[in-house]
């Protein structure tokens, strides 16, 4: 965004220096996401104790969850920080469609990873999902289900996401530009070369300039880790 404001092509900068030191037009720049700014007025007017009084499972505050997928009432839900996926669906989304049961979910948008239904009771907040190879990110939650006639396979979701990452890559660095394309080709096969995918994932995480390339392997890694039965590995 800073590069675009300066009239340049919108590409990530190498860091350091960080934008707090050298940002817009070379000046120190403070970056915040819009949700942070949204709460400033309410916290100033009502006090931090009011905001902190919300939350579940040891977490504090409120969060906007954008819920999509197979739920009765999708949309943006203002819910306590730390709410679990199961609670979010049951209390704020009207539950699952008739005849469906939870199969998995994306807790944090396209690059936030994919978790199975057995892990639907993890608090959704910052730092709660990292031990499981995921993160809350933008809190864009997508629900996957299974029914008598259909299963929302995690591997299909990963394929769709990798096509997105390949298209969204700015192309500045080779690990992301080539890595997303190579990964997309590898996971198009019904049987995945998991050893090669793991090696490619590590290179992308270590060498990509920005968060897109660093986090793009998350959905694929999660499929291998949590949905091995889809790959014929269990």
């Amino acid at each position: 965004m800073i590069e675009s404001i300066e009239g340049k092509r919108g590409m990530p900068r190498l860091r350091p220096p960080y934008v707090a030191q050298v940002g817009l037009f070379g000046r120190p720049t403070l970056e915040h996401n819009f949700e942070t700014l949204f709460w400033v007025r309410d916290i100033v007017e009502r006090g931090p104790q009011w905001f902190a009084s919300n939350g579940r499972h040891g977490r504090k505050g409120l969060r906007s969850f954008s819920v999509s997928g197979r739920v009765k009432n999708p949309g943006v839900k203002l819910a306590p920080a730390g709410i679990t996926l199961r609670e979010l669906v049951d209390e704020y989304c009207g539950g699952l469609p008739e005849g469906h049961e939870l199969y998995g979910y994306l807790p944090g948008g396209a690059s936030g990873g994919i978790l199975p239904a057995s892990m639907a009771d993890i608090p959704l907040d910052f730092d709660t999902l990292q031990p499981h190879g995921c993160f809350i990110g933008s809190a864009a939650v997508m629900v996957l289900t299974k029914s008598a006639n259909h299963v929302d396979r995690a591997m299909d979701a990963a394929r769709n996401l990798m096509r997105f990452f390949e298209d969204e890559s700015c192309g500045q660095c080779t690990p992301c530009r080539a890595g997303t394309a190579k990964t997309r080709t590898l996971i198009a096969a019904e049987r995945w070369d998991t050893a090669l995918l793991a090696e490619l994932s590590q290179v992308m995480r270590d060498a990509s300039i920005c968060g897109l390339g660093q986090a793009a392997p998350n959905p694929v890694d999660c499929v291998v880790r949590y949905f091995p039965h889809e790959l014929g590995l269990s």
Side-chain angles (χ1 to χ4, degrees):
M1 180 60 71
I2 289 176
E3 292 286 291
S4 297
I5 293 173
E6 292 181 352
K8 305 171 187 175
R9 184 180 177 187
M11 301 176 76
R13 293 180 176 181
L14 290 171
R15 294 175 290 180
Y18 296 94
V19 294
Q21 301 165 312
V22 181
L24 187 63
F25 299 114
R27 306 293 295 176
T29 304
L30 184 62
E31 289 184 308
H32 279 305
N33 63 52
F34 190 80
E35 188 173 12
T36 299
L37 299 176
F38 173 84
W39 287 114
V40 169
R41 186 191 68 176
D42 285 337
I43 293 174
V44 170
E45 291 180 349
R46 302 187 186 187
Q49 293 78 15
W50 163 80
F51 189 75
S53 67
N54 296 281
R56 294 187 185 178
H57 307 293
R59 316 302 292 186
K60 296 181 179 180
L62 293 165
R63 194 79 201 269
S64 298
F65 296 89
S66 177
V67 186
S68 63
R70 298 186 189 277
V71 295
K72 288 183 178 179
N73 301 313
V76 178
K77 313 295 181 180
L78 184 62
I83 194 171
T84 68
L85 183 280
R86 205 179 305 277
E87 293 169 340
L88 182 64
V89 170
D90 291 343
E91 298 175 30
Y92 290 84
C93 302
L96 302 174
E98 297 300 325
H100 287 251
E101 63 177 287
L102 185 64
Y103 180 69
Y105 66 104
L106 285 69
S111 55
I114 309 174
L115 292 173
S118 60
M119 302 177 72
D121 297 312
I122 300 172
L124 299 175
D125 201 15
F126 299 106
D127 302 325
T128 58
L129 296 162
Q130 278 85 338
H132 310 288
C134 297
F135 56 79
I136 190 66
S138 59
V141 178
M142 179 176 288
V143 178
L144 309 177
T145 65
K146 62 180 179 180
S147 66
N149 301 317
H150 178 75
V151 176
D152 297 321
R153 296 195 304 175
M155 64 190 302
D156 291 333
R159 287 167 176 155
N160 188 38
L161 294 170
M162 194 53 64
R163 287 193 294 269
F164 167 77
F165 291 133
E166 180 185 15
D167 187 63
E168 287 296 306
S169 174
C170 74
Q172 181 179 5
C173 67
T174 301
C176 178
R177 181 184 66 251
T180 52
K182 180 65 174 178
T183 302
R184 192 256 311 154
T185 300
L186 289 172
I187 65 175
E190 195 63 28
R191 182 170 291 276
W192 293 4
D193 186 339
T194 55
L196 183 55
L197 284 168
E199 183 179 351
L200 187 56
S201 170
Q202 194 61 54
V203 170
M204 293 175 67
R205 294 179 188 281
D206 291 344
S208 294
I209 293 176
C210 82
L212 191 147
Q214 294 164 7
N218 281 344
V220 175
D221 291 348
C222 284
V223 171
V224 175
R225 182 176 180 181
Y226 297 117
F227 301 88
H229 56 281
E230 292 190 9
L231 307 175
L233 300 178
S234 63

